[in-house]
Amino acid sequence: MLADRIEAKWIDAFCEIFERCAVKAGDTAAILSETQSRALNVHLAELALLRMGARPFHVVVPTPRNPHPVPVRSTGASEAIGKLGPVVTALQQAGFVVDCTIEGLMHAVETPEILKAGARILVISNEHPEALERMRPDSALEKRVRAAAKMLRSTKRMRVTSKAGTDLDVIMEGASTVGVWGWTDRPGTLAHWPGGIVVSFPKSGSVNGTIVMAPGDINLTFKRYLTSPVTMTMRDDYITALEGEGADAAMMRAYLASWGDREAYAVSHVGWGMNPGARYEALTMYDQRDTNGTELRAVPGNFLFSTGANEFAGRYTAGHFDLPMMGTTIELDGVAVIKDGVLQDVFG
């Protein structure tokens, strides 16, 4: 476990990201946290904002009771606010919101209302700052992610294949696409740090085929590299069969079944990682409590497949898997953007 001591270099890193978010002296900024948040990141956010001459204030809510039948990890759908009106109002009026909740506000039910008021939200992923400092702002990354998002938005069909046996077809027409490079400077927008990810949320009935996860692929809900193959059959967005003889498949079957919710078996999003600073082996370097796995989502060339909620297809559930897969080939209307796990030079 890494030491939770304030380091000047970490304040520097937080200042860099806040500067990219257009924070200036005199600006009001809300730091949202919960009682189980990583206190080190909350303190670093405050110190960085004060160093920049901003006027931060804290909104701290009690971490709610887990109402679900299993532990919940890495959903991006924090339930900490609990639809509490005064909290939503405070965040709407802040202008800039530093989100230090455990799960983050990416898919939280209150987020659209906060953004609609013009606030911009930076989600500080629940990582130890030792990881955050390695993935500081990168203007070249922003350019590439923007180009990838633009390409996805004009795509009609995505095909994902692999030597392990993956053969997945995704209808992309009508999908909602998001590119995240690690910061946001526009009112009414949200970003998360670390960034370097592009994902699309397909419309209902758009995903069919077979996904074969190979040893070395990653289940980020379990924070685990797979040691045995897992095969998922997808029919009209839903996993209809999940096969495999090892512990990985057994745990995934048990976790999905525990929700008692068909929507937990559905596709959430598809996309890939693009951050050259993100390391595949990073999950081995941290205790589980010291990482949220966002770095693994951003590893260049991974196919980021996710199950669970997809509000753009009208599906809602707390069940969630993020499954970065290495060694795949991703084609957009026949153009390879990733080939055998290697990001191609097609984004400028």
Side-chain angles (χ1 to χ4, degrees), residues 245-327:
E245 297 182 357
D248 297 296
M251 288 191 295
M252 289 178 71
R253 283 192 293 264
Y255 192 79
L256 286 169
S258 69
W259 293 96
D261 183 358
R262 181 172 180 259
E263 304 305 338
Y265 291 81
V267 175
S268 176
H269 59 69
V270 294
W272 62 85
M274 301 185 70
N275 192 329
R279 300 297 307 180
Y280 165 76
E281 69 277 11
L283 200 60
T284 67
M285 302 294 185
Y286 299 98
D287 294 335
Q288 284 205 350
R289 65 165 294 176
D290 283 333
T291 181
N292 190 50
T294 303
E295 178 171 3
L296 278 295
R297 294 167 173 88
V299 170
N302 87 80
F303 170 51
L304 183 55
F305 178 76
S306 176
T307 64
N310 178 350
E311 56 264 43
F312 303 100
R315 297 192 295 262
Y316 301 90
T317 181
H320 182 75
F321 277 134
D322 265 347
L323 307 168
M325 300 177 209
M326 319 309 293

Side-chain angles (χ1 to χ4, degrees), residues 177-190:
T177 296
V178 178
V180 180
W181 44 88
W183 68 88
T184 176
D185 57 5
R186 292 189 298 114
T189 58
L190 176 148

Side-chain angles (χ1 to χ4, degrees), residues 92 105-117:
Q92 288 175 323
L105 295 180
M106 281 85 73
H107 308 299
V109 296
E110 301 88 357
T111 297
E113 191 176 353
I114 296 168
L115 295 176
K116 189 177 180 180

Side-chain angles (χ1 to χ4, degrees), residues 34-169:
E34 54 188 292
T35 48
Q36 285 294 310
S37 286
R38 191 182 301 275
L40 182 57
N41 288 348
V42 176
H43 295 159
L44 288 167
E46 176 191 308
L47 293 171
L49 289 166
L50 288 171
R51 180 190 287 181
M52 297 172 68
R55 302 186 65 188
F57 66 93
H58 290 275
V59 178
V60 186
V61 294
T63 296
R65 183 173 182 172
N66 179 8
H68 307 296
V70 289
V72 176
R73 297 289 185 273
S74 298
T75 64
S78 175
E79 299 179 350
I81 296 176
K83 299 182 181 179
L84 195 59
V87 173
V88 173
T89 299
L91 300 179
Q92 288 175 323
Q93 295 177 354
F96 181 58
V97 177
V98 181
D99 173 21
C100 292
T101 59
I102 297 170
E103 294 295 322
L105 295 180
M106 281 85 73
H107 308 299
V109 296
E110 301 88 357
T111 297
E113 191 176 353
I114 296 168
L115 295 176
K116 189 177 180 180
R120 60 197 191 280
I121 300 173
L122 178 67
V123 179
I124 307 290
S125 184
N126 187 25
E127 317 284 350
H128 194 281
E130 194 274 343
L132 295 171
E133 72 166 307
R134 289 187 291 104
M135 287 172 283
R136 296 197 298 275
D138 179 356
S139 296
L141 177 62
E142 177 187 7
K143 181 180 177 181
R144 292 193 299 273
V145 172
R146 283 186 181 275
K150 182 178 180 180
M151 192 172 183
L152 268 175
R153 291 184 182 116
S154 64
T155 295
K156 295 181 178 179
R157 211 97 181 190
M158 174 191 287
R159 188 183 181 204
V160 185
T161 57
S162 74
K163 293 176 181 177
T166 292
D167 193 348
L168 189 70
D169 180 71

Side-chain angles (χ1 to χ4, degrees), residues 225-250:
Y225 296 96
L226 269 65
T227 59
S228 54
V230 174
T231 300
M232 291 176 278
T233 302
M234 308 297 304
R235 293 289 180 267
D236 295 329
D237 300 346
Y238 289 85
I239 299 171
T240 58
L242 195 157
E243 300 169 297
E245 297 182 357
D248 297 296

